[in-house]
């Protein structure tokens, strides 16, 4: 499994764009990059997943450079309700059972 | 609605009294897993199952048992709970596939062992 490194915390104001970068230097060829969001006392929620280049959905964008050794989750125009912990996961098809959640990034959005 | 349902949501019990936390999913997923979450330690996997009758240990299996007799259910059993098992527990499920890291989590069970 690829080890991931992401900032422990980030602060932002409402309406700003938040970018969280995750490093995964030993990502394998078949690995996908997935991001989850977790609110206090709730289960993690899938946000977005990608393999290369850029993926966008109604919640966020995921940017993956050509070497795939890092990825950036972009949250556009955050609101107070985006305050949560964000986890970056990297894994392969057959090892889902061994996916590890790291410490994640605590994002705090203030007015 | 696709969901993973855990019960109970909250439980206070005494040391040594056997308990079961149930988990059920309605998405016909093959994979199911249990995690515990503690302050400063993040999410740690307890057990996982890749299909009916197929289970394996995660990172912190001591003191827990699981069974997977039906595809939709994956109960977590604490035969003799101890205070160090006080934690927030999550059940998760997903299906294998080329990009199977999208997992669905339950609402959580907050367990207190006194």
């Amino acid at each position: 499994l690829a080890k991931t490194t992401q900032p422990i915390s980030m602060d932002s104001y409402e309406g700003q764009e938040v970018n969280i970068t995750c490093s995964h230097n030993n990502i394998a060829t078949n690995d996908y990059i997935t991001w989850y969001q977790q609110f206090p006392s709730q289960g993690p929620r899938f946000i977005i997943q990608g393999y290369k280049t850029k993926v966008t959905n109604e919640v966020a964008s995921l940017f993956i450079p050509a070497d795939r050794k890092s990825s950036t989750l972009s949250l556009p125009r955050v609101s107070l309700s985006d305050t949560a912990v964000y986890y970056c996961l990297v894994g392969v098809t057959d090892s889902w059972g061994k996916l590890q959640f790291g410490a994640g990034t605590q994002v705090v959005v203030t007015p | 609605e696709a969901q993973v349902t855990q019960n109970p949501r909250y439980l206070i019990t005494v040391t040594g009294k056997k308990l079961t936390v149930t988990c059920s999913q309605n998405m016909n997923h093959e994979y199911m897993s249990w995690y515990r979450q503690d302050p400063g330690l993040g999410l740690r996997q307890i057990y996982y199952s890749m299909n009916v009758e197929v289970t394996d240990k995660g990172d912190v299996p001591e003191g827990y048992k699981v069974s997977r007799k039906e595809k939709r259910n994956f109960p977590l059993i604490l035969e003799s709970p101890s205070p160090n098992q006080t934690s927030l527990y999550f059940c998760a499920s997903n299906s294998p596939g080329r990009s199977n890291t999208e997992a669905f989590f339950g609402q959580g069970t907050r367990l207190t062992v006194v």
Side-chain angles (χ1 to χ4, degrees):
Chain A
L1 291 175
K3 177 178 166 57
T4 60
T5 303
Q6 51 184 123
I8 294 174
S9 64
M10 297 182 74
D11 295 328
S12 179
Y13 292 105
E14 278 190 297
Q16 289 188 330
E17 179 181 79
V18 171
N19 296 306
I20 309 171
T21 296
C22 178
S23 298
H24 28 80
N25 290 318
N26 59 339
I27 187 170
T29 303
N30 294 331
D31 284 349
Y32 276 74
I33 301 156
T34 310
W35 286 81
Y36 285 81
Q37 174 191 57
Q38 186 181 26
F39 299 114
S41 299
Q42 294 187 27
R45 181 177 75 105
F46 170 88
I47 301 177
I48 198 167
Q49 182 178 80
Y51 183 80
K52 62 179 179 181
T53 62
K54 176 184 174 182
V55 180
T56 297
N57 62 23
E58 65 278 5
V59 176
S61 294
L62 179 60
F63 299 91
I64 305 169
D67 66 6
R68 304 201 328 122
K69 292 185 183 301
S70 67
S71 58
T72 299
L73 176 73
S74 179
L75 306 171
R77 298 178 300 281
V78 294
S79 63
L80 299 178
S81 63
D82 292 314
T83 294
V85 177
Y86 293 83
Y87 298 95
C88 166
L89 279 72
V90 177
V92 296
T93 301
D94 294 331
S95 67
W96 179 85
K98 293 294 186 182
L99 281 180
Q100 306 277 357
F101 281 81
T105 298
Q106 172 69 64
V107 171
V108 176
V109 181
T110 53
Chain B
E1 179 190 355
Q3 60 185 4
V4 177
T5 303
Q6 295 178 225
N7 280 296
R9 293 290 311 280
Y10 302 92
L11 178 60
I12 300 175
T13 189
V14 296
T15 299
K17 185 177 180 181
K18 181 179 178 180
L19 67 90
T20 299
V21 183
T22 64
C23 174
S24 181
Q25 51 95 2
N26 62 359
M27 295 165 279
N28 202 37
H29 285 165
E30 285 82 358
Y31 291 177
M32 297 187 74
S33 184
W34 276 103
Y35 293 84
R36 63 177 288 175
Q37 187 168 36
D38 304 288
L41 296 177
L43 279 157
R44 295 180 293 169
Q45 192 178 64
I46 304 171
Y47 267 96
Y48 68 98
S49 169
M50 299 180 81
N51 215 322
V52 175
E53 303 292 2
V54 181
T55 63
D56 204 351
K57 297 176 180 178
D59 298 311
V60 288
E62 294 76 22
Y64 304 94
K65 285 177 58 178
V66 292
S67 69
R68 188 92 180 273
K69 300 188 187 308
E70 304 168 280
K71 197 173 186 180
R72 63 182 292 122
N73 296 323
F74 190 46
L76 179 69
I77 303 159
L78 284 73
E79 294 271 4
S80 182
S82 63
N84 65 12
Q85 292 178 298
T86 291
S87 187
L88 179 58
Y89 291 86
F90 292 105
C91 178
S93 76
N94 79 327
S95 274
R98 187 160 174 263
S99 58
N100 71 344
T101 51
E102 178 179 355
F104 295 80
F105 285 78
Q107 328 92 295
T109 296
R110 186 168 293 281
L111 171 66
T112 302
V113 183
V114 298

